[in-house]
Amino acid sequence: MIEYVKELGEAVAVTGAPPAPARPPGPAGPAVDVWSLDISRQVVGGHPVAGALPLLDDAERERAARLLRPADRHRYLASHVGLRVLLGGYLGLAPQEVALVREVCPGCGGPHGRPAVAGGSLHFSLSHSEDRAYLAFAAVPVGVDVEAWPAPAAVADVVGTLHPRESAEVRALPEPARPAALARIWTRKEALLKGTGEGLGSGVAEPYVGSAPDPAAVPGWSLLDLPAPHRYAAALAVAAA
């Protein structure tokens, strides 16, 4: 499905049609494009982050304005510049011309479901944690997540909210191994919930994804771990063709 995770740096040209129709993971070739971005950068895709506001829509500018810490605001702006540069490249548009909407929430029917491109010609997912962002693009629903390893205190706070089998798996590990295991579970689960559009509103107990080196099977979805920097975990979920 994925040949590699591509790095989006200061300048990048993205050309061509959207990715081919998605296929289940296998040797047939990539069906999903995944990009990684260092969001501490001052320039993303040839655009200075400090001058990013004209590239964004009203909702993005409003969200950026609500972030009080300059570092948080910079990371948000950098990740959304990267998103718009890549979407524009796939769709043949300038970054500021990409129209973003929200799909219907599958849980309550409200207008706050998955972010999407108007017209639905390309599916995407964006995740960022600390100074790293991952962006995924496909012809079918897709979710991506990246997380820095949590602190031991955070592991203790969160482990009880997981599926009972996952909680038992983490607690059975030596304490130094638990942050990596929790990050592995969390990224798999959040990537899947982003792909479905459900999000974290109903908790993280279901579905079971496991902490083993390979994710547990989830009906209707292909779930896999992605390469990630040291002390990070990342995962991808793609709707089955």
Side-chain angles (χ1 to χ4, degrees):
M1 175 183 286
I2 300 172
E3 292 183 4
Y4 50 82
V5 176
K6 295 174 273 192
E7 178 73 21
L8 174 60
E10 293 186 1
V12 63
V14 185
T15 59
R23 298 178 293 272
V32 182
D33 278 356
V34 178
W35 295 79
S36 174
L37 169 63
D38 177 355
I39 50 178
S40 68
R41 288 180 177 274
Q42 300 302 310
V43 178
V44 174
H47 299 273
V49 176
L53 291 182
L55 301 180
L56 309 183
D57 62 22
D58 289 342
E60 290 168 306
R61 286 192 286 267
E62 181 180 345
R63 171 61 177 151
R66 292 202 302 266
L67 297 172
L68 301 181
R69 295 178 64 241
D72 292 340
R73 191 180 310 114
H74 179 93
R75 290 164 176 157
Y76 177 86
L77 292 172
S79 61
H80 280 251
V81 170
L83 173 65
R84 285 184 166 274
V85 165
L86 289 166
L87 283 172
Y90 287 118
L91 300 173
L93 299 171
Q96 64 271 24
E97 294 174 346
V98 176
L100 300 178
V101 298
R102 284 280 183 174
E103 295 181 346
V104 172
C105 172
C108 69
H112 48 260
R114 292 189 317 147
V117 176
S121 58
L122 179 66
H123 296 268
F124 70 88
S125 182
L126 164 65
S127 174
H128 60 84
S129 178
E130 297 187 356
D131 286 337
R132 181 59 49 177
Y134 274 47
L135 307 96
F137 304 86
V140 295
V142 61
V144 73
D145 192 53
V146 59
E147 301 287 344
W149 289 4
V155 175
D157 289 341
V158 172
V159 67
T161 67
L162 303 174
H163 188 283
R165 288 171 58 193
E166 293 164 347
S167 298
E169 290 168 9
V170 174
R171 288 172 173 147
L173 294 171
E175 194 163 321
R178 293 177 186 177
L182 179 60
R184 195 158 53 242
I185 293 170
W186 190 272
T187 55
R188 293 168 180 177
K189 198 156 296 200
E190 188 160 357
L192 182 62
L193 293 174
K194 284 181 176 181
T196 64
E198 298 172 60
L200 301 176
S202 298
V204 292
E206 297 292 342
Y208 173 78
V209 297
S211 64
D214 293 322
V218 177
W221 289 83
S222 298
L223 185 61
L224 70 157
D225 294 337
L226 296 173
H230 180 56
R231 301 188 70 83
Y232 281 85
L236 178 77
V238 186

